[in-house]
Amino acid sequence: MILTSAKIENINDRILFLDISKNRLYLHKNYILKIPLSFIGLLFGCFSLSAQTGTLKGTITHNGEPLPFANVVIHKTNKGASSDANGNYRVTGIPAGSYSIAASFTGYKTKAKSVVIAKGKTQTLNFDLVSENNLDEVVVSGTLKPVSRLESPVPVEVYKPTFFKKNPTPNIFDALQNVNGVRPQLNCNVCNTGDIHINGLEGPYTLVLIDGMPIVSGLSTVYGLSGIPNSLLERVEVVKGPASSLYGSEAVGGLINIITKQPENAPLVFADAFGTTWGEYNVDVGFKANLGDDASLLFGTNYYNYENLIDNNNDNFTDVTLQDRISLFSKVNFKRKENRLLSLAGRFFYEDRWGGELQWTPEFRGGNEIYGESIYTTRWELLGSYQLPVEEKILFNFSYTDHDQNSVYGDTPYLAEQRIGFGQLTWDKPLKGHDLLFGTAIRYNFYDDNTTATGSENLNDVDQVWIPSLFVQDEIALAEKHKLLLGARYDYDSRHGNIFTPRIAYKWKWSDNDVFRVNAGTGFRVVNLFTEDHAALTGSREVVIEESLEPEESYNVNINYLKKIVTRKGAFIGIDASAWYTYFTNLILPDYDTDPNQIIYDNLDGSAVTTGISANVDLTLPNGFKALIGATVMDVTNTENGERQQQILTERFTGTWALSYKIPSWDLTADYTGNIYGPMRLPLLGELDPRSEYSPTWSIQNIQFTYDGIKDVELYGGVKNLLNWTPDRGNPFLIARADDPFDQNVTFDVDGNAVATADNPYALTFDPSYVFAPNQGIRGFVGLRYRIN
């Protein structure tokens, strides 16, 4: 007998029949429903599948607060979910097994966890994400204490390696070109040395620190910035405005603190190498290792080489200085009881660079036949930190640098030695309602050269000075949202006597996303002329120092507003805006105008003012688009004898941008970076000089593509200077009298002034100081990064 129908169940006076012969399921009595058996099979299959899968749920938060619309992805599957308005998420139908789950949200670091999904079970997995936007970054430069950028009473800007990778460069000097309000300034068309300007102030007003120590100072202000490898950066902190009350001289205009990686945070092995179509080659290689159970080592080396003679502006001089450079860096961290700090680091730097007439070779070094500027630089640096083994938090920091420079500028030799020792002891003492910092420091400066700066013809007067200091700082909690910072520093310089620099700062954090700050203070700077101003050595102008130079003093007020916005759809917007006013007395500026054949240095008989506004906007969208856009408008002038004029080599406005877009399906990121600078007044040699008195508005723009679809590898390439802009546009020449660099065919009158002749119709002398932008035009580049974590 063949079964053709069966009674299944009695449901409320209706009888369910399965009629196999007709492939139908009937709800008998009134036959009101007919269901195909294929659907029934699917239905029972789903019930069976549900028994083989599990569910994942949880909450996504930041500091305990829910993050709505965050993403949860289960690796190696197509499953995922978004959190709701309360930060909760739920993923169903996950086959049983072990998985890696990643939670991500715009502006926060992606976090991954492992989980095992059981059949028919619900697993709970919560995530607390850490913000990766710069507004929540921990900074130390503003107060000498680690504090969230939002909590710091002193405005501090933070730039991470991901920012500098958007436009790869061989050193930190070039990398800063896309930081708003910060401009690497070339000071010579021949040797391409330079310094860093902050808010229009000359390079010597900017203090450059490495791990909080004044490593880059004096001679290295001009010659040492190109030797810091980007691959060792943990972050760069920028403080705009005087910081002399904590850091002493040279921090008048602001400071740049280059913080290197900790060994425990660095990759096991890392390498980064790139080359350009101009023939530049740069290689960074490093590793970390454990030295027994109680110490860890980080080692890195950078090598840069450029040996390609290029003269696109046809003046018979190199457009870009030829360079051969190596830098070695090592840091060791020691494990101590109660996690007390002990760290030692060292760096060695050697560079051989030259620029000049194309036919120059080393045999012409120092001679007057073929003009060349050749610089051999050797530097040693040592720095460290030691936390005393006591209950109180007392920290001793120290550094030592030895800089030896053997250089010639045409037939003018410049041989210099500089040694700087620094020690600082700080006591961090929090009390009820007060966060106190007490400190004492001592600095030793040794400087000797072959110029009149350290003696006359028969007498060598080495410049040696010890500068002891005391400083104190109190951060007072006035109320929950209000803080007041008071600080003062006392220095004694035997050359200038007692120096006192106070400061005051107020912070009002009226919400978790809004901070208003006011900072005011004074600054001072002791001038080291030949170590800081390359123009005093190059060209044929006579250097005149009219009087004993007094320390410069400044008075500054800075207002800052910081805003953080996170939209419900996952977009992040950060706004950082500032306005400042700085008033200088005793300002020392090179005077190119009074006598075209001289550079005159003296204290300004009057005043100088720099004022302006600046803003950065940081934008991150859920679709992978990121933008950092900045703009600065400023007025930098000096007034003497009732005459007010714009300071030379200072732009009126500047803009920077870094735009990025990530295409996950292609493992590809596109970066478009650039800057734009307004007109700046340039140094001319006289009324007949045919070169433009003001630079045009100019822009350097770059594009890069990065592929990261290979494990532990990044491939990148692009184009620099897309517009092929160079400063010779619109000018008959850049270097005055490039065909007569030793002024052999220049006629002078009885007062030493150049006279116009048929061979010299503009009455010029040789002068390479007319420079405001790089001479390097468009070029392609390609590179590779490799790391093992």
Side-chain angles (χ1 to χ4, degrees):
M1 183 177 67
I2 300 176
L3 180 65
T4 59
S5 65
K7 180 178 178 180
I8 307 298
E9 188 177 354
N10 191 323
I11 305 176
N12 295 332
D13 203 31
R14 285 192 173 88
I15 301 173
L16 190 63
F17 280 94
L18 178 66
D19 189 339
I20 298 175
S21 63
K22 297 183 179 179
N23 196 30
R24 292 288 188 270
L25 178 71
Y26 294 96
L27 188 59
H28 189 64
K29 192 165 188 182
N30 296 321
Y31 297 96
I32 59 173
L33 183 64
K34 298 181 180 180
I35 306 174
L37 286 183
S38 59
F39 179 80
I40 299 304
L42 179 61
L43 184 64
F44 278 95
C46 289
F47 285 126
S48 174
L49 180 62
S50 176
Q52 301 298 317
T53 63
T55 298
L56 180 68
K57 70 174 185 176
T59 304
I60 303 176
T61 59
H62 168 60
N63 292 335
E65 296 295 323
L67 283 179
F69 311 111
N71 296 315
V72 175
V73 175
I74 303 177
H75 289 177
K76 297 183 179 180
T77 75
N78 61 353
K79 292 186 176 295
S82 294
S83 60
D84 60 21
N86 297 315
N88 299 318
Y89 74 92
R90 186 180 186 89
V91 185
T92 60
I94 308 172
S98 299
Y99 296 94
S100 176
I101 314 297
S104 62
F105 188 65
T106 303
Y108 292 79
K109 295 180 180 179
T110 299
K111 182 176 287 188
K113 293 184 178 182
S114 298
V115 68
V116 176
I117 301 298
K119 299 177 181 179
K121 301 293 185 180
T122 297
Q123 182 72 37
T124 299
L125 192 64
N126 299 324
F127 293 87
D128 190 66
L129 301 186
V130 178
S131 173
E132 69 175 3
N133 68 73
N134 288 338
L135 301 186
D136 291 324
E137 196 70 51
V138 173
V139 297
V140 296
S141 301
T143 61
L144 282 180
K145 295 184 176 187
V147 61
S148 164
R149 186 181 167 200
L150 280 170
E151 298 298 331
S152 173
V154 179
V156 181
E157 296 179 14
V158 180
Y159 298 91
K160 302 293 287 288
T162 52
F163 172 81
F164 297 113
K165 285 180 181 180
K166 298 176 187 296
N167 179 34
T169 60
N171 54 69
I172 190 63
F173 177 82
D174 294 330
L176 292 170
Q177 64 186 277
N178 287 325
V179 175
N180 182 32
V182 177
R183 181 168 67 86
Q185 166 66 44
L186 292 178
N187 294 325
C188 176
N189 267 310
V190 180
C191 67
N192 292 167
T193 54
D195 52 29
I196 295 176
H197 292 199
I198 292 183
N199 287 345
L201 295 178
E202 296 283 340
Y205 297 92
T206 300
L207 177 63
V208 180
L209 308 169
I210 298 181
D211 289 335
M213 293 290 97
I215 296 295
V216 182
S217 179
L219 278 173
S220 60
T221 302
V222 177
Y223 304 101
L225 289 172
S226 57
I228 302 172
N230 291 342
S231 60
L232 296 176
L233 295 181
E234 178 70 25
R235 66 185 186 274
V236 174
E237 298 181 6
V238 179
V239 177
K240 299 173 182 176
S244 294
S245 64
L246 276 184
Y247 296 96
S249 182
E250 301 176 11
V252 176
L255 67 89
I256 297 172
N257 193 0
I258 300 164
I259 299 174
T260 60
K261 293 181 184 295
Q262 298 295 337
E264 54 269 26
N265 297 333
L268 185 64
V269 177
F270 58 90
D272 187 350
F274 73 86
T276 74
T277 54
W278 272 51
E280 302 166 279
Y281 300 99
N282 184 79
V283 179
D284 287 332
V285 179
F287 65 89
K288 72 173 181 180
N290 291 324
L291 303 178
D293 296 329
D294 298 324
S296 56
L297 166 74
L298 172 65
F299 178 83
T301 182
N302 168 260
Y303 177 71
Y304 175 78
N305 180 270
Y306 174 67
E307 298 291 341
N308 196 15
L309 289 172
I310 294 180
D311 179 26
N312 288 337
N313 57 20
N314 300 315
D315 59 3
N316 196 45
F317 272 71
T318 53
D319 287 349
V320 177
T321 302
L322 281 68
Q323 302 170 54
D324 193 39
R325 177 174 69 240
I326 188 168
S327 176
L328 306 175
F329 178 88
S330 181
K331 177 187 280 190
V332 180
N333 283 359
F334 297 88
K335 293 181 180 179
R336 298 175 62 208
K337 293 181 179 179
E338 300 180 6
N339 292 321
R340 291 192 177 99
L341 177 64
L342 175 56
S343 177
L344 292 174
R347 186 170 74 110
F348 170 76
F349 168 80
Y350 176 78
E351 181 183 69
D352 175 2
R353 67 162 60 205
W354 78 268
E357 295 186 271
L358 300 181
Q359 61 270 33
W360 187 91
T361 58
E363 66 189 66
F364 295 105
R365 194 175 194 266
N368 60 4
E369 298 177 59
I370 306 296
Y371 188 89
E373 297 185 2
S374 171
I375 304 170
Y376 303 148
T377 302
T378 304
R379 280 181 61 82
W380 292 90
E381 300 168 355
L382 176 68
L383 61 153
S385 298
Y386 174 72
Q387 186 176 348
L388 272 62
V390 295
E391 290 185 7
E392 298 290 342
K393 189 175 181 181
I394 301 177
L395 186 66
F396 177 64
N397 295 295
F398 61 90
S399 65
Y400 177 80
T401 64
D402 188 301
H403 186 112
D404 182 85
Q405 182 169 315
N406 180 330
S407 53
V408 294
Y409 302 87
D411 57 0
T412 302
Y414 176 57
L415 309 176
E417 295 180 25
Q418 179 176 271
R419 294 190 283 274
I420 298 177
F422 181 80
Q424 177 175 276
L425 188 69
T426 57
W427 177 23
D428 186 351
K429 182 64 176 178
L431 296 173
K432 185 177 180 181
H434 297 263
D435 196 353
L436 292 163
L437 180 73
F438 301 94
T440 181
I442 189 164
R443 177 174 174 136
Y444 169 71
N445 286 354
F446 171 95
Y447 176 73
D448 188 21
D449 67 17
N450 64 321
T451 73
T452 56
T454 57
S456 59
E457 183 176 346
N458 299 317
L459 177 65
N460 186 39
D461 185 15
V462 175
D463 183 15
Q464 294 189 81
V465 62
W466 291 85
I467 305 175
S469 308
L470 294 171
F471 57 90
V472 62
Q473 175 181 278
D474 185 10
E475 188 174 337
I476 306 168
L478 301 176
E480 182 182 356
K481 298 182 179 181
H482 301 270
K483 287 186 178 181
L484 179 68
L485 184 141
L486 302 175
R489 182 184 180 104
Y490 167 77
D491 294 81
Y492 178 76
D493 188 323
S494 59
R495 298 166 297 182
H496 304 291
N498 302 313
I499 302 172
F500 179 69
T501 50
R503 77 163 169 174
I504 183 171
Y506 166 72
K507 178 178 75 73
W508 176 25
K509 186 179 179 182
W510 72 67
S511 77
D512 290 338
N513 299 320
D514 297 271
V515 179
F516 174 77
R517 303 180 180 97
V518 178
N519 281 253
T522 63
F524 78 97
R525 188 174 77 92
V526 177
V527 176
N528 300 295
L529 179 60
F530 289 94
T531 69
E532 297 172 350
D533 197 339
H534 176 82
L537 296 165
T538 189
S540 61
R541 294 195 194 217
E542 178 188 1
V543 176
V544 177
I545 303 175
E546 290 200 335
E547 59 185 15
S548 178
L549 300 178
E550 295 297 322
E552 300 174 332
E553 298 181 9
S554 70
Y555 307 86
N556 173 272
V557 176
N558 180 291
I559 299 173
N560 174 261
Y561 172 65
L562 192 148
K563 174 73 173 178
K564 180 173 70 172
I565 303 170
V566 179
T567 69
R568 292 184 62 84
K569 293 187 177 181
F572 169 81
I573 304 171
I575 301 171
D576 189 349
S578 296
W580 75 91
Y581 174 88
T582 305
Y583 180 90
F584 286 92
T585 60
N586 288 338
L587 189 69
I588 299 172
L589 289 174
D591 179 1
Y592 295 89
D593 301 321
T594 301
D595 188 329
N597 297 304
Q598 295 179 336
I599 305 176
I600 302 172
Y601 293 89
D602 66 345
N603 288 108
L604 187 68
D605 184 15
S607 61
V609 172
T610 171
T611 183
I613 57 175
S614 178
N616 286 323
V617 177
D618 190 355
L619 171 67
T620 304
L621 300 181
N623 63 0
F625 177 79
K626 297 182 179 181
L628 179 61
I629 302 172
T632 299
V633 179
M634 57 190 167
D635 186 24
V636 183
T637 60
N638 55 74
T639 302
E640 189 169 24
N641 299 323
E643 182 179 348
R644 182 177 182 270
Q645 62 179 352
Q646 181 184 352
Q647 185 172 304
I648 281 182
L649 295 174
T650 301
E651 65 277 13
R652 290 192 179 277
F653 69 86
T654 179
T656 59
W657 63 87
L659 311 180
S660 302
Y661 183 66
K662 172 77 173 180
I663 308 174
S665 59
W666 294 359
D667 298 314
L668 188 70
T669 301
D671 297 299
Y672 171 49
T673 59
N675 49 54
I676 184 169
Y677 297 102
M680 59 185 76
R681 193 165 70 91
L682 303 174
L684 299 181
L685 289 179
E687 295 181 357
L688 298 179
D689 194 330
R691 295 173 295 183
S692 300
E693 182 181 2
Y694 287 87
S695 68
T697 297
W698 56 280
S699 176
I700 302 292
Q701 301 176 25
N702 321 285
I703 193 166
Q704 174 186 254
F705 296 95
T706 303
Y707 176 76
D708 58 4
I710 304 173
K711 184 181 179 181
D712 300 326
V713 174
E714 287 184 0
L715 302 174
Y716 60 93
V719 179
K720 291 179 177 287
N721 197 355
L722 283 165
L723 304 180
N724 197 28
W725 191 91
T726 51
D728 58 323
R729 290 188 184 182
N731 272 313
F733 50 82
L734 292 177
I735 300 177
R737 299 289 295 173
D739 59 338
D740 184 21
F742 297 100
D743 289 340
Q744 296 175 344
N745 299 318
V746 177
T747 301
F748 297 92
D749 62 18
V750 293
D751 296 323
N753 297 316
V755 176
T757 62
D759 180 62
N760 186 15
Y762 306 118
L764 304 178
T765 57
F766 174 69
D767 177 40
S769 64
Y770 184 94
V771 57
F772 59 93
N775 285 320
Q776 203 168 13
I778 189 170
R779 59 206 181 277
F781 67 94
V782 64
L784 179 147
R785 297 187 187 98
Y786 175 74
R787 59 185 291 161
I788 300 176
N789 292 314

